[in-house]
Amino acid sequence: MNASSSPAPAAPAPGDTGTEPPEGTGSWRTVLREPRFARVWASQLTSSLGDQVFPFAIATSLLIDDHSVTGFGTVLAARALGMALCVLIGGVIADRFPRARIMACVDVLRTVVVGVAAIAAIGSPPWVLALLVLFVGAGEAFFDPAYESLLPRLLPKHQLEAANSLTTATERTLGVLGPTVAGAAVAMLGARNALLFDAVTFAISAALLLGVREKNEARPAVEPGSLLKDVGSGFREARARPWVWAVLWMSVFHMVTTVPVWFVLLPDRLLQSKSDTIGYGVVMAAFSAGALAGGILVRRGRRSGSGTLALLSLLPFGLAVALLGVTTSVPVLALVAVPAGGGLAVFQVLWMSALQRHIPDEFLGRIMSLDWLASTAAAPLGYALVGLALARVPVWVITFTGAGLFAVSTLAPLLNAGVREFGGPRAEAPVLEPEAG
């Protein structure tokens, strides 16, 4: 991008003088003192609570009231499809328009859609609910890249780890407590009223976002019909940064080869062989508790070697996958699930903070959408491969192969110095000199 087409440089964030303070000066208390971030975080907390209620209400309606397993699967697929179709566009929109306003508009959309689902769709054919849920998934595709790329407009760079840590800890806490709250809400209110409660949470979230002003709200001029061009420029920006491109492909490989092994085989091993629903819940709770602890421990962040720490923190997950092939002991699996979940949280905080720190603001939404795509698009293929392998290959072979591939694909990117530091120069395209004569 040449100088004439670039947006004006962003003004410093609050408290950002242009010189990085010493490492470790960020904290949850500090970031929550910034009123704009506090409102955005409260919005995320409220809407995330609604996200916990939504699947319980849908499951109650379709599996218990209507006894429609096929309908439930269709609705879940519609939500995933909505996100997959829109996530790249969501990144472009996040780079074109004020991000807090995008999030508020999405919450208004979700309020209307979930409200309509509560009033009109419960008891209707599953395809009606699936159509509405398609819009919910599409909304998430716009909301999530906007949120992740909004934080650098609200806080100075040295507080990004604390903000991402708080976001991760909030999500993980709701992952532990949310299902209990959601189950109680559905049991006491019923599916219809629970969805109305869900709609109210999105309305509150939208209200909190209204009026949030972010730095650099003036956007560059948008050329008509340039949507696909902007999507392509996001890919080019990622490829021009080898450390970003390597980690994105690592995520895709993990989603194909290893992550589905854990999430498919854990319930299969515990529920099929031992019918241990309590044990399954204990292991998943340990995983979420570990993620919560990891998010808390990394809140002050680090600069030197942050990529090395982030990728090495992923290795306990590979160990958990390997052990799943040789034991169904709940205490053993729960014990290894704690560092596995914690390592994933450490990676998430350091990776998000690095992207927010090093990617130019005008591309950040698109890079965040590519990260979402890398983390989700390959998942259906991974789940399908695990299902096929289970019918033909011993479990221990699947888990050991998955764990080995996970370790190799996690360590290989560390050969790149930019990955080790989670940062590096942008590789500019070569300039072709005109031929003489």
Side-chain angles (χ1 to χ4, degrees):
M1 181 178 289
N2 58 44
S4 62
S5 63
S6 301
D16 197 349
T17 62
T19 302
E20 289 279 329
E23 293 183 19
T25 57
S27 68
W28 290 358
R29 182 180 300 178
T30 301
V31 296
L32 286 174
R33 284 175 181 163
E34 167 52 50
R36 296 176 301 170
F37 173 78
R39 290 179 64 177
V40 171
W41 173 77
S43 165
Q44 182 234 6
L45 174 64
T46 307
S47 62
S48 295
L49 178 60
D51 286 337
Q52 295 292 328
V53 174
F54 185 79
F56 271 78
I58 298 299
T60 299
S61 173
L62 293 176
L63 296 179
I64 297 178
D65 297 342
D66 296 341
H67 305 286
S68 177
V69 177
T70 302
F72 182 57
T74 302
V75 169
L76 293 181
R79 188 177 188 179
L81 178 63
M83 186 164 200
L85 289 176
C86 296
V87 67
L88 292 179
I89 300 174
V92 173
I93 297 301
D95 287 334
R96 287 186 175 185
F97 301 101
R99 290 156 185 168
R101 295 181 196 175
I102 294 171
M103 295 163 61
C105 290
V106 169
D107 276 334
V108 171
L109 171 66
R110 293 194 286 191
T111 299
V112 173
V113 170
V114 175
V116 170
I119 296 171
I122 297 297
S124 300
W127 69 265
V128 176
L129 194 55
L131 182 60
L132 291 171
V133 170
L134 181 73
F135 286 98
V136 173
E140 292 173 348
F142 288 88
F143 187 95
D144 293 326
Y147 175 76
E148 291 174 349
S149 55
L150 171 63
L151 298 188
R153 295 186 179 180
L154 305 179
L155 296 166
K157 290 183 177 181
H158 69 278
Q159 292 180 353
L160 290 174
E161 280 86 1
N164 286 305
S165 169
L166 180 57
T167 297
T168 299
T170 301
E171 293 173 348
R172 301 305 180 179
T173 300
L174 288 174
V176 176
L177 302 179
T180 303
V181 175
V186 173
M188 291 187 298
L189 303 175
R192 187 184 304 275
N193 289 330
L195 282 176
L196 288 174
F197 168 79
D198 192 12
V200 169
T201 65
F202 289 131
I204 294 173
S205 177
L208 288 168
L209 289 167
L210 292 176
V212 172
R213 302 287 295 176
E214 55 199 81
K215 68 171 184 174
N216 195 29
E217 283 198 356
R219 311 308 303 147
V222 177
E223 300 177 9
S226 63
L227 184 64
L228 292 180
K229 180 180 177 182
D230 282 356
V231 170
S233 67
F235 276 96
R236 287 193 295 273
E237 185 68 19
R239 291 188 63 183
R241 300 174 185 275
W243 64 278
V244 174
W245 198 240
V247 174
L248 290 178
W249 275 108
M250 179 195 76
S251 297
V252 172
F253 193 77
H254 286 174
M255 292 306 300
V256 173
T257 61
T258 310
V259 173
V261 174
W262 172 261
F263 288 105
V264 171
L265 285 185
L266 180 63
D268 179 76
R269 296 274 282 162
L270 293 182
L271 301 181
Q272 295 291 335
S273 63
K274 300 170 66 176
S275 298
D276 193 351
T277 55
I278 295 177
Y280 174 55
V282 167
V283 175
M284 291 306 296
F287 188 86
S288 294
L292 173 60
I296 293 173
L297 290 174
V298 77
R299 68 189 183 277
R300 295 187 183 276
R302 57 181 289 168
R303 300 289 186 274
S304 179
S306 61
T308 301
L309 173 62
L311 267 62
L312 292 180
S313 297
L314 293 174
L315 293 180
F317 182 80
L319 175 62
V321 171
L323 286 177
L324 190 56
V326 295
T327 183
T328 57
S329 168
V330 170
V332 171
L333 293 175
L335 184 64
V336 75
V338 173
L344 289 177
V346 169
F347 171 82
Q348 181 181 0
V349 171
L350 293 177
W351 171 240
M352 284 293 102
S353 301
L355 292 178
Q356 291 162 352
R357 181 174 290 110
H358 295 293
I359 302 299
D361 181 79
E362 63 267 28
F363 290 105
L364 186 54
R366 277 166 282 182
I367 299 298
M368 291 300 185
S369 70
L370 285 176
D371 183 56
W372 272 95
L373 189 67
S375 302
T376 57
L381 175 60
Y383 286 121
L385 290 175
V386 172
L388 291 173
L390 279 173
R392 298 170 175 82
V393 182
V395 169
W396 70 268
V397 174
I398 297 173
T399 58
F400 275 62
T401 301
L405 292 173
F406 186 84
V408 171
S409 60
T410 299
L411 295 175
L414 292 176
L415 296 174
N416 183 301
V419 173
R420 293 195 296 270
E421 297 298 330
F422 265 177
R426 186 185 189 280
E428 299 291 347
V431 177
L432 299 180
E433 298 291 340
E435 295 183 5

